[in-house]
Amino acid sequence: MKVKWTLFRIAMLLFLLTFAGCSSSQFPSGEFTSQLEGEEIRLRFDEDGNFMILRNGREHAEGTYSVEGNQLTWLTDSSCAAPNGETATYSWTLENQILTFSLVEKDSCMSRLYMLEKLPYEERP
């Protein structure tokens, strides 16, 4: 019985270590880059809920966001027309330093939708 319990604990530890190495449950702050039609897209997320999007090194948009679980809501976005274009919700995943977004609710901001929808963003050191 003691051997089974020890094997179970080892198996659970290995599972948790494997799972923790593959994904993150907390939204990461920092910089992420991707390529879109020959342009570098860079996303910067601050821990305080501010973001910036750069296209080829030039500021494209800035604003605020909030995160609840695996969903990120863009609260304000300088590149999207108010009142409906600013707010949108996407689910996010981070696996092996690749951040991806999938639309949860309709996004009226076509430029943001174009840059985010399932485009992989690599985490920058």
Side-chain angles (χ1 to χ4, degrees):
M1 184 71 169
K2 191 173 184 179
V3 172
K4 286 183 182 181
W5 180 247
T6 302
L7 290 174
F8 174 76
R9 290 171 67 187
I10 290 171
M12 289 304 296
L13 179 62
L14 290 173
F15 172 77
L16 291 173
L17 289 173
T18 301
F19 183 73
C22 294
S23 65
S24 174
S25 61
Q26 182 176 355
F27 187 76
S29 60
E31 285 195 11
F32 300 84
T33 61
S34 191
Q35 293 290 318
L36 180 63
E37 296 182 358
E39 289 187 323
E40 180 191 59
I41 308 297
R42 187 175 296 243
L43 306 177
R44 288 184 188 162
F45 295 100
D46 295 339
E47 291 178 2
D48 60 358
N50 293 311
F51 75 88
M52 182 179 290
I53 300 174
L54 297 115
R55 292 180 81 161
N56 286 333
R58 293 187 178 153
E59 185 178 321
H60 174 76
E62 63 179 4
T64 58
Y65 70 95
S66 68
V67 175
E68 187 171 322
N70 76 329
Q71 294 189 348
L72 181 141
T73 300
W74 303 85
L75 301 172
T76 62
D77 188 327
S78 64
S79 71
C80 301
N84 296 328
E86 293 180 334
T87 303
T89 301
Y90 287 77
S91 64
W92 63 271
T93 59
L94 179 65
E95 292 185 15
N96 300 319
Q97 298 181 314
I98 303 295
L99 179 64
T100 56
F101 297 94
S102 295
L103 185 62
V104 173
E105 297 175 8
K106 182 180 178 183
D107 191 348
S108 298
C109 182
M110 298 323 285
S111 67
R112 179 176 53 214
L113 178 64
Y114 187 62
M115 286 188 288
L116 292 180
E117 183 66 12
K118 301 187 189 220
L119 191 63
Y121 284 87
E122 184 177 357
E123 189 171 15
R124 303 291 294 187

